[in-house]
Amino acid sequence: MADECPKCPPVGAPLWLATFADLMSLLMCFFILLLSMATIDAKKFKKMSDEMQDAFGVQKDVPSYDIPMGTSIIAQHFSPAPTEPTPLEEVKQTTQQRSTTLAETIDENNLDEIEQKLLQKKLEEVKEQAEKIKESLKDEIKQGLVSVEAINLNIIIRIEERGSFPSGTAVLKAGFEPVMKKISAAVNDSPGKVHVAGHSDDIPISTQAYRSNWELSASRAVTVSHFLFQQTGTDPTRFVIEGYADTKPLVPNKTQEDRAKNRRVEIVVMQDDPSLSRELFPQAE
């Protein structure tokens, strides 16, 4: 009997080879993926972030000083050529719920210093404005009809009774109207609230027109305010009218000269104190 032919191997590659080839393919894909993620092209990243604006909304710019990039041993040792991505100037971060405000970016330790600088600047502006008013009323100041001074953030234009009101009345003298027109122009050029306050001496008054110094001082303040309202450009909403009688004398009521100084109408232009206002540093809602 002839020898039997040895059994032929199965046709095709061995079964284990398919598994091995699949494993090699997966490993190759894995290393290619690592290599591709080793560095980030700044231009492509910038373009991708810009295209995502419509989807997420961009509210603020965050400066980026370091280029976002991964680290890879493969890229360091096996990269065919050195990669030098273009520096990215800024990366936009998306947010819609809350925006960074000026108050959040300013350190609390520097806030007092900033407010002091703002206050000092405001004081200089008030002083400069007061000097301009003094220059416009220099003739009247020499005659003793008015006086001007700056106290803190307030400009005080003081109308003396001499030449402005007859004794015991709240009617302006006819010759005092040119002075009032100059005062009106000065008030209109100065920003801020305007307090018109009437003052009297301590001698009681009781007439048919005025029952007391309270009515007389308030009536004189109203008279001055009405004159200012009649001038072009005067905003009545800026005004506050006050009457103090003899409660706030400039000097003690001891002599006739002292009492004459206390009989006056003061126009006080008040400026806001920036150190007491946080509107410059609004908080986020």
Side-chain angles (χ1 to χ4, degrees):
M1 183 176 182
D3 294 334
E4 294 182 358
C5 180
K7 191 174 181 180
C8 296
V11 180
L15 297 178
W16 61 269
L17 188 59
T19 303
F20 180 77
D22 188 27
L23 178 61
M24 292 299 102
S25 299
L26 292 175
L27 286 174
M28 182 181 66
C29 293
F30 174 72
F31 284 111
I32 291 175
L33 181 62
L34 288 179
L35 183 61
S36 65
M37 295 178 61
T39 58
I40 295 177
D41 191 331
K43 289 184 177 180
K44 292 182 179 179
F45 183 81
K46 180 71 165 54
K47 183 178 180 181
M48 179 187 68
S49 63
D50 292 340
E51 291 175 352
M52 295 179 67
Q53 290 182 15
D54 294 336
F56 297 95
V58 175
Q59 295 291 332
K60 63 180 180 179
D61 294 341
V62 180
S64 177
Y65 303 102
D66 296 325
I67 302 171
M69 56 188 303
T71 57
S72 171
I73 297 177
I74 298 176
Q76 294 175 1
H77 296 281
F78 299 100
S79 177
T83 58
E84 296 180 358
T86 304
L88 183 62
E89 294 181 358
E90 61 180 9
V91 178
K92 293 186 177 181
Q93 182 176 349
T94 61
T95 176
Q96 283 185 335
Q97 295 180 354
R98 185 181 182 190
S99 60
T100 302
T101 63
L102 181 61
E104 294 173 340
T105 59
I106 295 179
D107 191 277
E108 284 296 332
N109 295 331
N110 298 330
L111 190 56
D112 292 339
E113 181 180 354
I114 293 173
E115 290 178 346
Q116 287 299 321
K117 289 182 179 179
L118 291 174
L119 179 59
Q120 185 62 34
K121 181 179 179 182
K122 197 70 174 180
L123 288 171
E124 293 175 358
E125 292 176 356
V126 170
K127 185 177 180 180
E128 181 180 353
Q129 187 66 31
E131 291 299 323
K132 290 181 180 179
I133 297 175
K134 286 182 180 179
E135 182 63 24
S136 65
L137 296 171
K138 60 181 180 180
D139 294 336
E140 289 74 16
I141 294 175
K142 288 180 180 179
Q143 298 173 22
L145 301 178
V146 299
S147 62
V148 180
E149 63 177 328
I151 301 178
N152 297 327
L153 294 176
N154 301 330
I155 301 174
I156 303 177
I157 304 173
R158 189 172 292 115
I159 302 174
E160 309 295 343
E161 184 190 51
R162 173 190 174 188
S164 58
F165 293 98
S167 179
T169 69
V171 180
L172 281 172
K173 291 182 179 180
F176 200 73
E177 291 185 358
V179 182
M180 287 299 303
K181 289 182 179 180
K182 289 185 178 182
I183 294 175
S184 177
V187 171
N188 289 335
D189 292 339
S190 302
K193 280 286 185 181
V194 180
H195 287 237
V196 182
H199 301 267
S200 70
D201 56 25
D202 62 345
I203 298 178
I205 183 175
S206 180
T207 65
Q208 283 187 324
Y210 310 107
R211 291 172 293 179
S212 65
N213 282 326
W214 290 99
E215 286 192 3
L216 177 60
S217 61
S219 296
R220 286 182 173 179
V222 170
T223 299
V224 171
S225 300
H226 278 179
F227 188 95
L228 298 178
F229 297 159
Q230 294 170 2
Q231 306 305 305
T232 304
T234 303
D235 182 10
T237 60
R238 297 174 56 198
F239 283 74
V240 177
I241 301 175
E242 303 166 334
Y244 290 104
D246 60 337
T247 59
K248 293 187 176 182
L250 288 177
V251 293
N253 291 286
K254 294 182 178 179
T255 64
Q256 288 290 74
E257 291 77 11
D258 293 340
R259 290 189 176 92
K261 290 180 181 179
N262 292 330
R263 296 191 297 268
R264 68 201 188 277
V265 175
E266 293 180 344
I267 302 174
V268 184
V269 183
M270 297 184 174
Q271 306 293 325
D272 293 332
D273 187 347
S275 65
L276 301 179
S277 175
R278 296 287 178 164
E279 293 180 359
L280 295 173
F281 312 100
Q283 299 295 330
E285 296 180 356

